[in-house]
Amino acid sequence: MEKVTDIFGSMVFDDLTMKANLSSETYIKLKKTIDEGAPLDLSVANVVAEAMKDWAIEKGATHFTHWFQPLTGVTAEKHDSFISPSSDGRVVMEFSGKELIKGEPDASSFPSGGIRATFEARGYTAWDPTSYAFVKGKTLYIPTAFCSYNGEALDKKTPLLRSMEALNREALRILRLFGNEDAKYVKTSVGAEQEYFLVDRELYGKRKDLVFTGRTLFGAMPPKGQEMDDHYFGALNPRVAAYMEDLDRELWKLGITAKTKHNEVAPGQHELAPIYTSTNIATDHNQLMMDVMQKVAEKHDLVCLLHEKPYEGVNGSGKHNNWSISTDTGINLLSPGDTPYENAQFLIFLCAVIKAVDDYQDLLRIAVATAGNDCRLGANEAPPAVVSMFLGDELTAVMDAIIEEKDYKAAEKQIMKLGAEVLPKFVKDNTDRNRTSPFAFTGNKFEFRMVGSSDSIACTNIMLNSAVAESLRIYADRLEKADNFEEAVHKLIQKTFTDHRRIIFNGNGYDDEWIREAEERGLCNYRTTPDALPHLLDDKNVKMLTEQKVYVRVELESRCAILLENYRKTVMIEARTMTDMVDKQILPAVEGFLGDIAETVNAKRQFKPDLACRYESRLIEKLSGIADEIDRLNLELEDLTAKASGIEEDLEACYYIRDNILPKMKELRAVCDEAETMTAEEYWPIPNYGYLLFLV
Ligand code: ADP
Ligand code: MG
């Protein structure tokens, strides 16, 4: 078997490969583009393209694609072969700098949320040299940004890069004020832990709900669920272990640092975490990882479910976005140092995050708002829909001391040094963890736990980067004008802690009591996607995001429109799938069973006319009643679905869905699940939860 160190990154045109395949002159120019964003002229691009093509062909590639992240949530690719006709009637393999740098896919089939209506249908993809190209299958993948003819972003990568730029700009201003002259840039890093379920392929194929919607719309709880907690970190069964092994290898080849894997709380649920890297690359890698997870599952006759809530009554899946800020010189700005000087700087960056999360809690909520995630957030295994922050006991004590000026002896005028006295050295302390907090400080990074398992992490990081950039901008504006820097820093820290104390909550986030308290504190609680989304266009949000140059207004409007449309379509498909399954599978199953029971009664009575047949009578009466109830609710759901289809405005339709369709679906499901528990298994055509969860 090949060594891991040999296969790791073997399919990636990474730094080492570039060095090996480019002249040092070309390499240096390309490196300048990658690291500093310097423009790359066409002659250099031609050389790079040629080298990339030769390398890719050696890896078995015949095609190339510009790989991008349209607003559909999945990645898009259009494959072109390298072939080009030659004068002798044969072909040569060609790939030019122009083809590397820019593509022109027809944008008209991708959602643009109205941008297209105003402008031309043509879209452009532009090479993102900061994310390495790679070979997957027989294709060279080139990560690209995707925009309209007029330059509006039609993807998630463009605003993400802009948000990283915003944070870099404002963070450098702060660092210079603290006397740091050598950091050339500041970037955010992310490690995204990914949860998923595995299910047997054959069973999956028999569930229209899983096939069409990614989640089960029916299904009674099996006698055993997750109550024993015996799955969490449990030994891997051989089939799952083989899958994970294969998955690791495929990811490693693509340069994805798959690191930790384990069973999760729910049966059939697992987690994979890579080592953190630059946010842009982490986002690309996470998209790629979700793709590879599904492909590898096929080989093992499994299906990988990425939906946020595949099964009612067992834990759903999320993604933990571990996020930190660091300099190119290797300083983690969220790491509490042990000198006073560093502590003050740490506190400023910490404050910037606290202020950002409080000021833009709505944006963080919006960033994770999807119909799928609505099934999970606020349920008893996932963070609530309310955004709050966990700082841990030590840091909270520091914060409170600073607010109350307890440990500060202003007379000594050595504010920063005193900062050191109250600030203990932080070691990453696992006992200090709070698993129920949506946004937890975990030693030298923040972990945001509200992201849905199927979602891109781009939106979350766009909002986070932008909001923190905005706090830093406000701080820098003030500090640059300050006469006494140290005093001004102290005042800022104290003011931030005081103003934003409400966002800090170290208790149990799953507690109902907390939701009441959160509302008293004035934190927003947008329970559903339609509750949250419209706030994307609130004045304060538009102002911040446009001033930070992360979005222009029309891009925000288009995103809001697309997200609402997505929600609407998703739930409508679910509702129609339910009706279909009830009509074609559930009611016929119940009737078939009832018919056979009734026949049994007849047969028995032929044998002995006065037999009571109490069991059959009870069953027939109860189940007939349930069948009528199923039919009634199903007709009502059909009616509501028809009404919702007729609503023109997406937002209005979303509210209608939230208030009428989803509750009706819940009612219908409940009676169907009851019918399942009463119907003999051989009549039930839909594989039950017991098999789905435990037969992997
Ligand atoms: P957990 O206990 O939640 O599994 P870990 O410490 O194992 O936490 O880390 C989880 C994720 O956080 C991993 O992807 C890891 O690479 C990432 N991570 C660790 N340090 C940082 C950091 N400084 N910035 C961003 N992500 C980080
Ligand atoms: Mg975690």
Side-chain angles (χ1 to χ4, degrees), residues 272-304:
L272 178 64
I275 298 171
Y276 67 99
T277 178
S278 167
T279 306
N280 178 33
I281 294 175
T283 305
D284 284 357
H285 278 182
N286 185 254
Q287 292 296 128
L288 201 50
M289 188 157 111
M290 291 194 284
D291 189 55
V292 176
M293 280 176 153
Q294 282 162 318
K295 295 260 159 64
V296 173
E298 268 174 47
K299 279 200 271 174
H300 293 257
D301 286 323
L302 294 165
V303 174
C304 171

Side-chain angles (χ1 to χ4, degrees), residues 189 191 193 274-276 322 324 332 428 433 435 445 447:
S189 298
E193 302 165 65
I275 298 171
Y276 67 99
N322 294 273
S324 64
N332 179 348
K428 222 174 142 190
R433 295 286 189 93
R435 293 258 151 215
K445 64 182 193 292
E447 183 169 347

Side-chain angles (χ1 to χ4, degrees), residues 185-255:
Y185 60 89
V186 171
K187 64 168 186 182
T188 55
S189 298
V190 165
E193 302 165 65
Q194 174 76 45
E195 291 179 332
Y196 62 98
F197 279 87
L198 290 176
V199 63
D200 183 83
R201 178 152 213 91
E202 202 186 316
L203 297 175
Y204 168 89
K206 290 186 182 147
R207 300 253 352 184
K208 289 195 212 180
D209 47 5
L210 282 180
V211 173
F212 295 143
T213 74
R215 72 172 173 120
T216 54
L217 300 168
F218 303 99
M221 275 310 279
K224 179 182 174 180
Q226 63 182 48
E227 56 276 88
M228 305 288 284
D229 278 334
D230 51 359
H231 191 256
Y232 193 51
F233 282 31
L236 302 174
N237 88 28
R239 193 174 177 197
V240 172
Y243 166 76
M244 287 180 169
E245 206 174 292
D246 218 4
L247 177 60
D248 277 342
R249 294 180 76 76
E250 292 306 315
L251 293 173
W252 289 336
K253 281 192 213 163
L254 293 168

Side-chain angles (χ1 to χ4, degrees), residues 11-12 74 114 123 184 190 216 220 230 240 284 293 306 316 367 396 404 425 443 482 497 545 552 578 582 589 595:
M11 292 304 194
V12 186
V74 289
K184 280 212 284 294
V190 165
T216 54
D230 51 359
V240 172
D284 284 357
M293 280 176 153
L306 291 169
T396 306
E404 291 159 28
K425 267 192 227 169
F497 281 155
L545 290 166
V552 295
M578 268 194 125
V582 168

